[in-house]
Amino acid sequence: MTESLYSLVKEACEKNRGRIALENGPMKITYGRLLEDINRAAACLRGVAEEGTSAVFCHSGLPSSPAAVCAADKAGIDPVFASGIMSPAEFADMAKNNDCKLAFMTPFHLRKYQSVLKSTPVRTVILSRFDDYLNLRDRIHLRVAELVKKDAMKRDVTASLTGIRILNWKDIVRDEMPEDKSDFGEKRRFVFLGGGATGTHHAFEADTKALYWACTKGIEILDYYKKSSRIMSCLDMCFSFGLCWTFATILSGRTLLLSARESLNLDPKDVVFYKPDIVIGYPGILYEFLDYNGSSFSFLSGVISCGDLMHSFRYNELKNYFAKRNPEVKITRLYGIVETMMAFAVNYPDSGHDRSAGKPLPGVSIRISDRDTFDELPAGTRGEICVACPSVMKGYQYPGNTDDVIKVSADGTRWLRTGDAGYVDEDGFIMYEGTYARIIDVGGLILYPATVESAIRNVMGVSEVCVTGIDNDGEQMVVAAVVPEDRIMFDGDKLDKLKSDIEEECEMVISEPFRPDRIIFKAYLPGGEYGQVDMDTLEQELRESLTL
């Protein structure tokens, strides 16, 4: 039977008491100290919130986050994770829907949500400050003035929050504070923001069993590397991927490297400073390496791409980048969606299948189903990728949405419909062909944009490409947004040649109805919060370009 998160972490802390659990610049927290912080915070939480209630977590990248989550778990409080990019209305809905009596925030989040906080059940706020964790290097290299400004508390903020108690994290974990020595711990529910399977944001619930199973998969992936004791995760803990990697690191007795920032991202200078063995991040964030030439990264053992699928052309770019600096760096690509907590497929660097999304992890079942009927399709046939494993979410907080994505087969297996299109090849590798949300209807025919994007990426001089459908008098126009390499961008003749080369490539490998109707060159593709393309913004920009 799966224990509580607190019980699992306690066991890891007692086993590794003298080892470093968290590192932030010169600040090093041992596993023994981490357990003390958890117990002190739990003692405080028992006094400010009743068992069985919930706490909303808004901060992600601060060293206090792992201890705060475990303390809530020990105190019988369900953790609810709210992304810091939520609007005040979205935050209020999440806090109300989950009866959150407690909130963990930075002063920045407190100011952002002060207008709605009193309309929620929250009556106690525990603050962690960026300045509490800024080391000397951070103060030199980061825009410290901005972070300190975010920490500033104006009187009008606290005055507007009468009836809400405000505590400081550093105060409740001071050495003189009492510890909760009980062994209490139950399997709890965890609430995350998801929507990978639907294309829209929905809060979903998972239990300790799902979290623990996902963490064990993370540990298995870390164990693939011979040197993997220092882990730098650039994934937000407010999302299931980030939380699972945080606790996979802790439960395996490794050291988690953190940097005090408003949101987690990748600064290659931080990588050089901390010298991790493994860096984990979203694909779009890992691409930041490509613009950095200041290190050979001789200390680095591996890079793990997670949270979104890293396409083969980007993988080869990153592989070539490290091959010139440290050929020992191995890149592992994971495939999964937030509703599975962690990845469900892995493509190790020695798989020999660069173009695939990888093979299912041990304990994962994959099924390719007809999108409309859910009938299972034969091997090699394109359909919707469905997954069954112990880490699949319990469901969305709106049951109707759950019924759309969780299907139960005749043998009782719960299948999660990912919303992704693809097939499984003869070797058992998953071949990803894009999401159904981006499918383009071309005169009644179905176009998977990834097919056209793959062809265009093969043209020399193309840096990035995104293919989408733009409405043109009721019909879908296939438009390719192409970012040329820098050497071409400002040379008209070279741009004309590149456009001609793209058209020729598409004529050779793409059927005539699916070839781009228009090719539009752009300096960059608008990015989302975690490095993916912001499709809404891109499509709006393309519509404006087409009307010029």
Side-chain angles (χ1 to χ4, degrees), residues 368-540:
I368 305 299
S369 299
D370 182 277
R371 174 74 170 170
D372 298 319
T373 66
F374 192 62
D375 291 339
E376 187 170 6
L377 299 175
T381 305
R382 177 192 291 137
E384 183 173 18
I385 300 169
C386 301
V387 58
C389 63
S391 64
V392 167
M393 68 173 183
K394 292 175 64 177
Y396 294 118
Q397 292 195 328
Y398 303 98
N401 295 321
T402 300
D403 295 340
D404 291 338
V405 299
I406 298 286
K407 297 295 182 183
V408 181
S409 58
D411 62 1
T413 303
R414 294 176 74 247
W415 292 97
L416 175 70
R417 302 175 61 177
T418 65
D420 292 341
Y423 62 94
V424 177
D425 71 8
E426 62 275 10
D427 296 318
F429 284 87
I430 302 169
M431 306 304 293
Y432 170 88
E433 295 199 334
T435 67
Y436 280 96
R438 287 190 58 206
I439 283 177
I440 305 171
D441 185 332
V442 183
L445 300 174
I446 298 300
L447 168 62
Y448 294 88
T451 304
V452 182
E453 290 167 352
S454 179
I456 294 176
R457 287 189 186 108
N458 289 330
V459 178
M460 186 165 298
V462 172
S463 176
E464 294 183 81
V465 61
C466 185
V467 173
T468 189
I470 302 295
D471 183 75
N472 180 33
D473 294 330
E475 295 186 358
Q476 290 287 295
M477 175 185 292
V478 180
V479 180
V482 177
V483 178
E485 293 178 354
D486 291 343
R487 62 184 177 83
I488 296 174
M489 187 70 211
F490 301 105
D491 188 316
D493 291 338
K494 290 181 179 178
L495 283 176
D496 290 341
K497 175 67 165 55
L498 179 59
K499 182 178 180 181
S500 176
D501 290 345
I502 291 172
E503 291 172 341
E504 288 181 11
E505 180 72 15
C506 289
E507 286 177 5
M508 286 191 294
V509 300
I510 302 296
S511 300
E512 197 259 331
F514 299 141
R515 296 169 193 161
D517 298 301
R518 290 287 299 275
I519 297 170
I520 295 178
F521 291 119
K522 297 183 67 64
Y524 62 90
L525 299 178
E529 183 73 9
Y530 304 105
Q532 77 280 19
V533 177
D534 183 339
M535 293 303 299
D536 290 341
T537 300
L538 175 62
E539 289 173 359
Q540 179 60 35

Side-chain angles (χ1 to χ4, degrees), residues 347-367:
N347 197 341
Y348 288 115
D350 53 5
S351 73
H353 285 69
D354 290 354
R355 291 184 175 275
S356 84
K359 278 189 171 183
L361 285 161
V364 173
S365 297
I366 296 293
R367 160 186 172 138

